[in-house]
Amino acid sequence: MAAEPQPKALTRKPVLLNKVEGSQEVVNMAAIVPKEDGVISVSEDRTVRVWLKRDSGQYWPSIYHAMPSPCSCMSFNPETRRLSIGLDNGTISEFILSEDYNKMTQVKSYQAHQSRVIMILFVLEMEWVLSTGQDKHFTWHCSESGQRLGGYRTSAGACGLQFDVETRHVFVGDHSGQVTILKLEQESCSLVTTFKGHTGGVTALCWDPIHRVLFSGSSDHSIIMWDIGGRKGTAIELQGHNDKVQSLSYAHHTRQLISCGADGGIVVWNMDVERQETPEWLDSDSCQKCDQPFFWNFKQMWDSKKIGLRQHHCRKCGKAVCGKCSSKRSSIPLMGFEFEVRVCDSCHESITDEERAPTATFHDSKHNIVHVHFDATRGWLLTSGTDKVIKVGARRLLCL
């Protein structure tokens, strides 16, 4: 299907507070230091840096630490100041940062994977370190002893990783487009279920533990909201990017999902609305509106002496229709279509102006985003990109 046009950005734009520059390679991940005017970053140039804002208004490294291999990911726990760093060689190294963020002390290392570490989560409640790697394995270790507790082989290289503390369920998204749910015990795990809704690989996961909803972003440019807690199997699609979805973050207090794309697009979705599932596309040999045959329906073409038409689908009702019966386009925000998509003529007439009201805002970060981090206490949004730059934006981004 041809790429859909992206909606124009609304006039309300994020305020850029600071740009942090100095890394020699891609900044794979970064995080805002809570209660401090600082940023922690890990880069492909093998460096771990803690940037603190000086009186001049500029960020300068208070810590500059070189690792033995490119740094692929990180997880920072503010309560313990524990920094877990994943490396390209499969190792996870753990450090404790000093209270003034001017020193980091190595605690231990885990040989967690056979190749590049993709994602890390440190779970303080369980004292677990969860990780995924390019070796198609999910593993978890005890952060106190450093012992490997268990692992699970995924169907493809895993990117997304989320954990629910209450139920001990872990969510793993992989390059095949599948999401695997595992139940973790202290030294064992069991497969709960798998589900797949993307046509491309899963690139990011985000978990809302309050409403028990899982969000998955994909290289197919879409986001799917999975209703895990409702037990209804509901899957809501969100279509607002025209490139790969790179990273997701969730603002619990405002119920807003923040998604970032490879083209630099930032979309802030209002999830505090009653959204609708997109319909299944129906199969038919002729238009379900005018009964004209589609081009593969040779019998009806011969009987009616008519040339077959190309098949389309209405995004609102899912019916198979011809181009003449679906000449109109409309946005359907409650179905996740923030841009205009093909709808049949009758559905176009039924959609009201209120139903076309947008449920998301669109912004251009002006750099290729790799990762996003949201600080809910201050409403600050951090993005890191392939341009080696870290950007910190102000809370106005989240005003819909």
Side-chain angles (χ1 to χ4, degrees), residues 127-373:
E127 291 290 348
W128 287 348
V129 177
L130 316 180
S131 63
T132 59
Q134 279 186 344
D135 59 1
K136 301 182 182 179
H137 276 87
F138 158 74
T139 65
W140 74 104
H141 291 74
C142 174
S143 62
E144 294 180 314
S145 67
Q147 179 184 355
R148 185 180 190 273
L149 299 176
Y152 183 88
R153 183 176 174 84
T154 56
S155 59
C159 289
L161 178 63
Q162 290 288 286
F163 181 73
D164 181 56
V165 174
E166 181 182 343
T167 62
R168 297 190 181 185
H169 284 152
V170 65
F171 307 95
V172 183
D174 62 46
H175 287 306
S176 73
Q178 180 173 283
V179 177
T180 301
I181 303 180
L182 304 169
K183 176 66 178 292
L184 298 191
E185 302 299 342
Q186 186 61 31
E187 296 184 4
S188 66
C189 72
S190 56
L191 176 64
V192 177
T193 188
T194 61
F195 44 86
K196 186 173 182 179
H198 291 288
T199 58
V202 174
T203 52
L205 292 179
C206 189
W207 174 243
D208 176 4
I210 299 173
H211 299 92
R212 311 201 65 75
V213 169
L214 181 72
F215 301 95
S216 61
S218 171
S219 59
D220 65 10
H221 308 178
S222 73
I223 300 164
I224 296 180
M225 181 181 77
W226 307 90
D227 181 11
I228 304 295
R231 302 180 185 276
K232 298 178 181 178
T234 305
I236 306 294
E237 292 186 32
L238 303 175
Q239 302 281 353
H241 288 278
N242 60 6
D243 206 335
K244 177 170 66 174
V245 178
Q246 292 278 56
S247 187
L248 299 171
S249 187
Y250 191 71
H252 298 277
H253 64 299
T254 56
R255 290 201 66 188
Q256 290 173 311
L257 177 70
I258 306 163
S259 61
C260 297
D263 60 351
I266 300 174
V267 185
V268 182
W269 306 86
N270 178 16
M271 302 311 300
D272 195 20
V273 294
E274 192 67 33
R275 294 187 176 272
Q276 305 167 15
E277 278 192 288
T278 53
E280 294 287 338
W281 283 6
L282 302 178
D283 293 325
S284 179
D285 290 329
S286 58
C287 176
Q288 294 181 300
K289 292 293 182 178
C290 68
D291 201 37
Q292 287 277 70
F294 293 133
F295 63 82
W296 61 83
N297 189 352
F298 298 111
K299 186 179 185 304
Q300 188 176 346
M301 288 166 55
W302 177 264
D303 293 342
S304 62
K305 301 296 188 294
K306 292 179 180 178
I307 298 174
L309 303 176
R310 182 184 174 188
Q311 177 183 261
H312 300 281
H313 282 92
C314 173
R315 302 303 190 272
K316 190 174 192 298
C317 68
K319 289 184 177 180
V321 290
C322 67
K324 184 178 179 180
C325 292
S326 58
S327 60
K328 305 290 178 54
R329 303 178 75 87
S330 175
S331 60
I332 321 174
L334 294 181
M335 281 188 171
F337 297 110
E338 291 289 333
F339 43 66
E340 291 189 343
V341 291
R342 182 184 295 273
V343 294
C344 66
D345 292 353
S346 57
C347 281
H348 186 270
E349 293 177 3
S350 71
I351 301 173
T352 64
D353 290 340
E354 289 79 9
E355 290 176 316
R356 291 189 178 94
T359 61
T361 56
F362 298 81
H363 314 277
D364 183 6
S365 70
K366 302 190 186 304
H367 72 151
N368 186 319
I369 297 174
V370 174
H371 181 73
V372 61
H373 177 247

Side-chain angles (χ1 to χ4, degrees), residues 87-107:
L87 302 180
D88 189 64
N89 62 11
T91 302
I92 296 175
S93 294
E94 284 193 347
F95 298 84
I96 298 296
L97 302 186
S98 61
E99 289 188 27
D100 60 4
Y101 291 95
N102 283 303
K103 182 182 178 182
M104 56 190 285
T105 304
Q106 185 164 7
V107 179

